Amino acid sequence: MNPEKHHLDVIPWQFFATFTFKTLRVSEGIYLNAYFSVLRSQAANLGVHFSRLWWVLRREEGEISLRPHFHALIAGFPYTAVNEATCFSFMKIWESRGGGISRVRV
């Protein structure tokens, strides 16, 4: 068994997110800064220190448009925050940071 997969399987993930960018030319530093900005803002909103969050991030390019985007698994928020309203909050924060379309689900 793959050890990374084993560890990912045992974490109780709370959110699955897809974040896109408005432009095709996005440097790695820009997309990482944007992602961490969203996590830090959401952690502050929900009273959790950023260092308590668990996350896995994968960058991809769209199959047709080659538009950069990434997928994330996120955990570490209070149980009461695992709801649709928090999903919409993630999306709003991403878009306020200049990101493109985002989708977040529990």
Side-chain angles (χ1 to χ4, degrees):
M1 175 183 247
N2 179 318
E4 289 90 2
K5 182 182 180 319
H6 170 73
H7 287 291
L8 290 173
D9 285 345
V10 299
I11 296 171
W13 299 108
Q14 297 172 318
F15 299 99
F16 174 78
T18 300
F19 298 111
T20 65
F21 296 91
K22 290 181 179 178
T23 179
L24 295 176
R25 295 182 182 178
V26 179
S27 73
E28 185 172 337
I30 290 173
Y31 83 76
L32 287 175
N33 284 341
Y35 177 70
F36 289 125
S37 174
V38 169
L39 281 186
R40 288 181 191 280
S41 292
Q42 194 68 294
N45 290 343
L46 298 171
V48 176
H49 193 277
F50 173 76
S51 65
R52 295 285 193 186
L53 299 181
W54 292 42
W55 52 269
V56 176
L57 185 66
R58 177 182 170 96
R59 184 180 188 273
E60 296 179 354
E61 292 180 352
E63 294 177 7
I64 297 171
S65 68
L66 299 179
R67 184 169 300 282
H69 66 277
F70 54 86
H71 301 288
L73 293 170
I74 305 166
F77 290 106
Y79 177 74
T80 56
V82 182
N83 55 52
E84 193 172 297
T86 303
C87 294
F88 284 114
S89 177
F90 267 116
M91 292 187 284
K92 184 176 179 178
I93 294 168
W94 177 254
E95 291 169 8
S96 75
R97 300 292 192 278
I101 296 170
S102 61
R103 297 290 180 259
V104 181
R105 63 182 169 91
V106 172

